[in-house]
Amino acid sequence: MIVEPKVREFICTTAHPVGCQENVNRQISYIKSKSFPEGPKKALIIGASTGYGLASRICAAFGCHAATIGIMFEKPSNGKRTATPGWYNTAAFEKAAAADGLYAKSINGDAFSLDVKEKAIDLIRRDLGQVDLVIYSLAAPRRTTADGTTYASSLKTTNSVFTEKSLDLKNNEISQKSVQPCTPEELEGTIKVMGGEDWMDWIRALSSAGVLAKDAITISYSYIGPELTYPIYFDGTIGQAKRHLTKTAKEISDTFPDVKAYISVNKALVTQASSAIPIVPLYFAILYKVMKEQGTHEGCIEQIARLFCDKLLRDEIPFDSEGRIRMDDYELQESVQTKVMEIWEQISSENVTTLSDIDGYWEDFYHMFGFHFDNVDYTQDVDIEISIPSLAE
Ligand code: NAI
């Protein structure tokens, strides 16, 4: 099949298998070009197929030479429709890991479920004995808890209507967008889905099964961002869920003295999860422009490589006053934020292409789905039914 991008606002409904492989291979090459300190040897990555979780799996495997088990919720191809990008990414990851003699197995299913937790525990027990690193990098729209209740996550404010400039992803025009305040149920739902409850469930399950190594590290990712986006992010429903996640890190460390739980506050980057947040994509496009000009721009792989090499695997991890690791240090530099705000004031549909890095935004967007790589021939027929080796066993 010849696969072309089919973009609908913030999502692309097709993915290119060869392009996704290229995306993964580029990240692997970047990691192989760096020298990593001694690190984890057996890692479980929950949410391992795209974005920050995929970058984390690549760092663990190709930076630290760790065996990895990756958990994801992706769709294979049905012969007519392509698979989701995370499916192709995982197939490419496992192929590259096998070529380097690295253990890599994946579980495709709902990480919130007991069934997937049990499958992961069985696999760890059978193949690895224990894991010394657990990365919790889920970004999900909903979660069904053990009692059968389904909670939905929403991206709303927690108090009043918030109106700001926004990039219309259909036509690249700037318009005003209003975000409504949440209901109490929506706030509760977001905390249930994106807060720390399931992270705690995972650590409890792994610990009581005896598959967590002594002094195992577990880490989850958060975001703060600039005051401009506080109403929709930091003070919004998602920010409340992230506060819960941060609180959970402390609860995990207190409950399981042999486990070290950390929060890393990461940089804003285009991923499938973040493209869906209103108002934020315009901030991203301006941020990319400013950080590229100042030479501090990083993608997911550069962020996580720096997290591993400069923070997490150091003898003394640098924490902020609230005990978090800050990978958003470059994003929140005064020189960056002052410039971003200056541009924010001036930006309009007429000047958006010059004042922001809208091309960079879209390039990252297309790359996520395996498109727009200059060394991939998109006119060629490709096999869309790619299998993930460990799932085909
Ligand atoms: P993403 O959408 O690229 O990745 C989400 C991952 O979760 C995928 O591997 C997907 O398969 C998996 N997943 C989703 N639902 C699942 C389920 N029910 N069961 C199993 N796997 C499931 O998202 P991204 O952006 O990498 O987000 C990961 C974490 O990083 C999130 O906690 C997010 O809030 C955080 N973060 C993201 C930032 C950004 O700008 N993208 C900035 C800072 C933190």
Side-chain angles (χ1 to χ4, degrees), residues 46-54 71-74 86 107-113 116 136-143 194 220-224 233 238 242 245 264-275 277 280 284 300 303 331 368:
I46 303 159
S49 52
T50 54
Y52 275 120
L54 172 65
I71 303 202
M72 62 193 177
F73 208 18
E74 302 292 346
I107 296 171
N108 190 39
D110 182 5
F112 295 122
S113 70
V116 164
Y136 188 85
S137 184
L138 288 186
R142 65 191 65 82
R143 168 183 171 210
M194 292 300 286
S220 191
Y221 300 136
S222 186
Y223 181 67
I224 294 176
Y233 200 101
I238 181 73
K242 292 297 183 189
L245 190 78
S264 171
V265 182
N266 293 351
K267 176 192 183 210
L269 279 170
V270 181
T271 63
Q272 288 183 71
S274 64
S275 320
I277 309 175
V280 161
F284 281 19
C300 287
Q303 273 268 293
E331 173 180 348
M368 270 192 307

Side-chain angles (χ1 to χ4, degrees), residues 49 88 90 100 146 157 191 213 257 294 314 333 353 382:
S49 52
Y88 292 138
T90 303
D100 278 17
T157 72
I191 295 172
Q294 296 190 9
R314 270 178 39 180
Q333 270 170 354
T353 45
V382 284

Side-chain angles (χ1 to χ4, degrees), residues 286-287 289-291 293-296 329-343:
I286 300 173
L287 181 73
K289 166 105 175 165
V290 174
M291 292 187 80
E293 274 172 9
Q294 296 190 9
T296 52
D329 43 0
Y330 297 168
E331 173 180 348
L332 294 186
Q333 270 170 354
E334 210 186 316
S335 60
V336 171
Q337 287 303 323
T338 309
K339 189 76 202 159
V340 168
M341 290 312 136
E342 247 175 67
I343 296 177

